[in-house]
């Protein structure tokens, strides 16, 4: 979820596509608001974005079915990806991670076949954990988080599948309740790589996935 009334997001080009009606409780807005602000936050706000003039299309693929934690399932996630693919997005920012899933892998491959660059979080399960997905699938740009001294985030998942590192520790971005807050996690590193990929494609719209990678 995204708080579109946050000062940094007011007036920005953000379209939120409707989520599935099968889950009654919408997700919390903190994570989505923070990621959206990193991408397209107003430049004159307290939490300016990397590409404030870009168009952001978002789908809330998460929900709360019990308690206060956000979760998703593969069908909700795949449906969200399909909605974005139908809108012909060129870069898909997936600030999320989880276990491998054959249905999700097929959805990733289908999006890539349409020429969509997919950037995903390396995961926050720790150095000894198994690879996180969809970041570890072939062709996905997997991003880990580093601090201001280029040290890898202590909770980041390690692995040969990781492609890039970007700021993701002590990152200042929007808080859903207003104002800003410092965030840490590989989710917050993904927008930096997504923004870079978007700039490359903007400079050469005919650039394919391999060239962007």
């Amino acid at each position: 979820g995204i708080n579109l009334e946050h000062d940094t997001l007011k007036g920005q080009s953000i379209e939120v596509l409707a989520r599935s009606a099968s889950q009654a409780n919408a997700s919390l807005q903190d994570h989505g608001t923070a990621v959206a602000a990193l991408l397209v936050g107003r430049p004159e706000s307290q939490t300016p974005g990397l590409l404030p003039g870009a168009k952001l299309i978002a789908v809330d693929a998460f929900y709360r079915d019990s308690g206060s934690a956000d979760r998703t399932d593969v069908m909700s996630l795949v449906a969200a990806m399909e909605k974005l693919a139908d809108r012909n997005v060129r870069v898909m920012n997936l600030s999320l991670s989880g276990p491998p899933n054959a249905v999700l892998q097929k959805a990733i491959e289908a999006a890539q076949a349409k020429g969509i660059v997919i950037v995903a979080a390396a995961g926050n399960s720790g150095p000894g954990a198994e690879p996180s997905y969809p970041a570890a699938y072939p062709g996905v740009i997997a991003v880990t988080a580093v601090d201001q001294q280029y040290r890898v985030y202590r909770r980041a998942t390690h692995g040969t599948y990781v492609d890039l590192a970007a700021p993701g520790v002590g990152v200042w971005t929007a808080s859903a309740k207003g104002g800003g807050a410092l965030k840490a996690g590989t989710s917050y590193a993904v927008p930096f790589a997504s923004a870079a990929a978007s700039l490359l494609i903007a400079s050469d719209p005919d650039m394919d996935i391999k060239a962007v990678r």
Side-chain angles (χ1 to χ4, degrees), residues 20 75 135 143:
S20 170
M75 298 315 297
V143 188

Side-chain angles (χ1 to χ4, degrees), residues 49-68:
L50 296 158
L51 298 176
K55 177 176 178 58
L56 178 64
I57 302 176
V59 186
D60 184 2
F62 285 74
Y63 52 87
R64 285 171 293 146
D65 58 356
S66 63
S68 59

Side-chain angles (χ1 to χ4, degrees), residues 166-193:
V169 181
V171 174
W172 178 256
T173 186
S175 172
K177 296 178 176 64
L182 293 172
K183 300 287 187 178
T186 57
S187 282
Y188 307 108
V190 177
F192 290 87

